[in-house]
Amino acid sequence: AQKVTQAQTEISVVEKEDVTLDCVYETRDTTYYLFWYKQPPSGELVFLIRRNSFDEQNEISGRYSWNFQKSTSSFNFTITASQVVDSAVYFCALSDTGNQFYFGTGTSLTVIP
Amino acid sequence: EAQVTQNPRYLITVTGKKLTVTCSQNMNHEYMSWYRQDPGLGLRQIYYSMNVEVTDKGDVPEGYKVSRKEKRNFPLILESPSPNQTSLYFCASSLSRGGYGYTFGSGTRLTVV
């Protein structure tokens, strides 16, 4: 069965520190998609990135980077030089070739000024 | 602007009083879905729809109804709300099933007393 695990429930870092949010997934499908969403204190869900199972290239977007490793079924998210505005709950999600999205339980990140 | 519009943003109601949360998208997306978010449980899918007149149960459908009479609208109906349906609800749409990722509405915070 498909499953997404975000073992880190809460993380606190001091501003300008780097922080990595872990995501481990389970699926039997060979074709699948992985996502990260951000939920700031205002409550909306903001799409950050999408990665398909055939593309293991790491991606960097500004201070954000993602490390996808099929060998360990992980799709980790790193924020470099964290800022207070990065404080949010971050969700990792898996989508298979069916109709379902599977979300992790989220990691609450607090960046302390 | 491409968006998913949910109404209302906040709702307090009493047990047993029927209510409807509306959801509309302007992106001509085929796939729409409802989620509820509860602390420690992440996002759980209630119902989804792959197209007009096609709906199916997600992980937690009990106590909810949906309809998809038009492509753009996907209302969530609580016929007889109970306190355990107090939650944050999100409507989401996607171009198709699987790997396109969701666009989420702003959320509806429902309290049933």
Side-chain angles (χ1 to χ4, degrees), chain A residues 35 37 93-95 99-103, chain B residues 31 35 45 98 101-102:
Chain A
F35 302 83
Y37 286 85
L94 166 73
S95 174
N99 301 322
Q100 293 275 48
F101 242 66
Y102 303 89
F103 283 90
Chain B
Y31 190 83
Y35 285 86
Q45 191 176 48
Y102 280 131

Side-chain angles (χ1 to χ4, degrees), chain B:
Chain B
E1 180 189 352
Q3 60 185 0
V4 176
T5 303
Q6 268 181 256
N7 281 298
R9 287 294 306 274
Y10 301 92
L11 179 59
I12 301 174
T13 190
V14 296
T15 299
K17 185 177 181 181
K18 181 180 178 179
L19 67 90
T20 299
V21 183
T22 63
C23 174
S24 181
Q25 51 94 3
N26 63 0
M27 296 166 281
N28 202 35
H29 283 173
E30 287 186 352
Y31 190 83
M32 297 185 75
S33 184
W34 276 102
Y35 285 86
R36 61 178 288 173
Q37 183 181 2
D38 301 290
L41 297 176
L43 286 97
R44 295 180 293 168
Q45 191 176 48
I46 303 170
Y47 270 95
Y48 63 92
S49 169
M50 288 187 286
N51 214 324
V52 175
E53 303 292 2
V54 181
T55 63
D56 210 344
K57 296 177 181 179
D59 298 317
V60 289
E62 294 77 21
Y64 304 95
K65 285 176 58 178
V66 293
S67 68
R68 188 95 180 269
K69 294 185 171 61
E70 305 166 280
K71 197 171 188 178
R72 62 183 292 126
N73 295 323
F74 190 45
L76 179 69
I77 302 158
L78 284 73
E79 294 269 3
S80 182
S82 62
N84 64 12
Q85 292 178 297
T86 293
S87 187
L88 177 59
Y89 291 86
F90 287 99
C91 180
S93 73
S94 178
L95 186 61
S96 185
R97 70 172 83 174
Y100 287 93
Y102 280 131
T103 300
F104 283 91
S106 300
T108 295
R109 188 166 292 281
L110 172 66
T111 302
V112 183
V113 298

